[in-house]
Amino acid sequence: MDDTIVLRTYGLAKRYRRRWAVRNLDLNVRRGEVFGFLGPNGAGKSTTIRMLLSLIRPTEGRVELFGNPLTRRRRAGLRRIGGLVERPDFYLYLSARRNLEIIASLRGDNSASDINPVLETVGLSTRAHDKVKTYSHGMKQRLGIAQALLGSPELIILDEPTSGLDPQGIKEVRELIQRLSREGRMTIFLSSHLLSEIEQTATSMAIINQGRLVVQGRVTELLASGENIVRIETPMVDNALAVIASSGLATSAHVVGSMIECSMPRERVADMNRLLVQANIPVHALVPKRSLEEFFLSITEGASDK
Ligand SMILES: Nc1ncnc2c1ncn2[C@@H]1O[C@H](COP(=O)(O)OP(=O)(O)OP(=O)(O)O)[C@@H](O)[C@H]1O
Ligand SMILES: [Mg+2]
């Protein structure tokens, strides 16, 4: 992975009538990442993805692909990406191969030569001559990914690629994504409403809720096991920070407004409190905030299909 940003959004927003589906969204996706875009139902994932793929126009903000703005004259950037939006549409009475041939000819490039390798990649070679109407849901989903892979894109954007699949289908798609990421040096952006799925496939992630970005960063850092964010309120911020730093109890500590936020294992919180009090630092409050995982579960449970 390098630090080149392949996809960036600035203040991206979409309003439908009076309701904002997406607000002020700043995303940064680096080359080679599997970027998980996580949010409960109705959070704004599909709306964002449609804007990234230039299928709908943002109300505000902009998208940059490979360092260039995505504008109406957008073909150059879009050629380098492949997309799968929710349920892919195929001609059900035609074979998978024929469907891909049609898509390749619409693209007007030489992506027809990719059809065999792409069918191989998604494990549909032996069924490529069967009509799509005879396909299982998982096979259609894999055909959707095959379609996104035509033209050897540098970036693929997949909207809930495992939605509606059974556990075996989910595992197959997950392994496919991991393989594409390993072998292809491809950047993969995928959305999901399941934290476990993002945890297993993604290297970086963003959480979106009610159209707004909640958090963004590397998965390992955001989900560090057993870590809690602890907020300490004290009038002696600088002294407290020095005690915390020398204690070695916290993984990280920084000042937020008039408080200190530490990331630390839960079982060390009591020791930290004792050290601060022993150093004559008044602690007005010491609040373990929820872990990211608990936070995500709470917003997922609270969300409903709107
Ligand atoms: N074409 C549209 N017209 C009006 N409102 C829309 C439209 N598309 C989406 N919305 C609204 O925008 C919000 C975000 O929807 P979106 O489909 O982006 O969510 P999502 O995160 O993809 O959800 P899900 O997990 O259910 O797919 C919802 O409140 C939805 O009702
Ligand atoms: Mg959606």
Side-chain angles (χ1 to χ4, degrees):
M1 195 185 302
D2 61 33
D3 281 335
T4 317
I5 305 274
V6 293
L7 172 65
R8 172 172 264 169
T9 69
Y10 298 88
L12 197 64
K14 180 72 184 177
R15 190 183 58 211
Y16 290 112
R17 296 171 191 269
R18 287 245 178 89
R19 186 197 304 223
W20 289 91
V22 173
R23 299 193 86 152
N24 197 26
L25 191 61
D26 295 326
L27 296 176
N28 293 299
V29 181
R30 285 183 298 266
R31 187 188 302 281
E33 279 185 328
V34 178
F35 188 94
F37 191 43
L38 184 63
N41 290 136
K45 303 181 296 294
S46 299
T47 303
T48 302
I49 285 178
R50 289 202 170 89
M51 290 192 279
L52 299 181
L53 293 170
S54 200
L55 299 172
I56 56 172
R57 286 179 64 169
T59 311
E60 286 174 7
R62 59 201 169 89
V63 176
E64 238 177 54
L65 274 177
F66 310 107
N68 299 311
L70 180 63
T71 58
R72 308 220 93 195
R73 262 183 263 111
R74 60 199 194 199
R75 301 209 71 87
L78 284 180
R79 259 179 206 290
R80 296 162 70 186
I81 72 180
L84 171 63
V85 184
E86 282 178 314
R87 273 160 209 277
D89 274 335
F90 293 107
Y91 296 106
L92 298 178
Y93 286 88
L94 299 178
S95 69
R97 174 181 297 281
R98 189 72 198 114
N99 269 281
L100 293 181
E101 283 169 0
I102 290 168
I103 293 164
S105 74
L106 288 174
R107 290 176 59 98
D109 53 15
N110 55 4
S111 54
S113 60
D114 297 337
I115 291 175
N116 283 333
V118 152
L119 283 167
E120 187 72 33
T121 302
V122 302
L124 286 176
S125 292
T126 58
R127 298 287 303 273
H129 290 287
D130 295 354
K131 287 179 181 164
V132 174
K133 77 176 172 96
T134 68
Y135 275 25
S136 70
H137 180 54
M139 291 167 74
K140 283 185 198 147
Q141 208 65 16
R142 280 187 276 147
L143 183 56
I145 296 175
Q147 159 278 126
L149 291 172
L150 288 177
S152 311
E154 291 161 59
L155 165 68
I156 56 172
I157 298 180
L158 308 172
D159 193 8
E160 307 233 26
T162 58
S163 87
L165 300 184
D166 64 13
Q168 179 59 26
I170 291 174
K171 185 162 169 279
E172 283 173 22
V173 169
R174 186 168 69 223
E175 285 169 358
L176 172 58
I177 287 164
Q178 285 164 340
R179 189 148 42 84
L180 287 172
S181 159
R182 259 198 323 270
E183 295 170 359
R185 280 189 46 77
M186 195 180 270
T187 311
I188 300 169
F189 181 105
L190 80 164
S191 71
S192 175
H193 59 275
L194 297 172
L195 178 63
S196 58
E197 197 168 290
I198 297 297
E199 228 178 327
Q200 288 179 64
T201 44
T203 49
S204 286
M205 69 179 203
I207 296 182
I208 179 178
N209 186 36
Q210 297 183 348
R212 292 174 191 274
L213 184 69
V214 176
V215 67
Q216 170 169 228
R218 296 195 197 268
V219 172
T220 44
E221 286 165 23
L222 292 177
L223 296 177
S225 58
E227 289 280 306
N228 267 248
I229 308 289
V230 179
R231 194 170 263 187
I232 301 170
E233 250 182 81
T234 170
M236 294 168 67
V237 168
D238 291 340
N239 299 20
L241 212 50
V243 170
I244 293 165
S246 62
S247 73
L249 291 172
T251 317
S252 70
H254 57 272
V255 178
V256 179
S258 60
M259 286 175 288
I260 298 171
E261 272 194 5
C262 311
S263 172
M264 63 192 303
R266 200 178 178 86
E267 64 273 14
R268 294 190 188 160
V269 174
D271 289 341
M272 174 74 82
N273 189 32
R274 191 166 345 101
L275 277 182
L276 289 169
V277 172
Q278 280 168 1
N280 288 323
I281 295 172
V283 176
H284 292 172
L286 195 149
V287 188
K289 296 206 304 181
R290 286 175 302 186
S291 68
L292 196 60
E293 188 166 358
E294 285 169 309
F295 170 78
F296 184 73
L297 290 177
S298 73
I299 60 175
T300 323
E301 282 156 10
S304 58
D305 284 84
K306 281 175 274 179

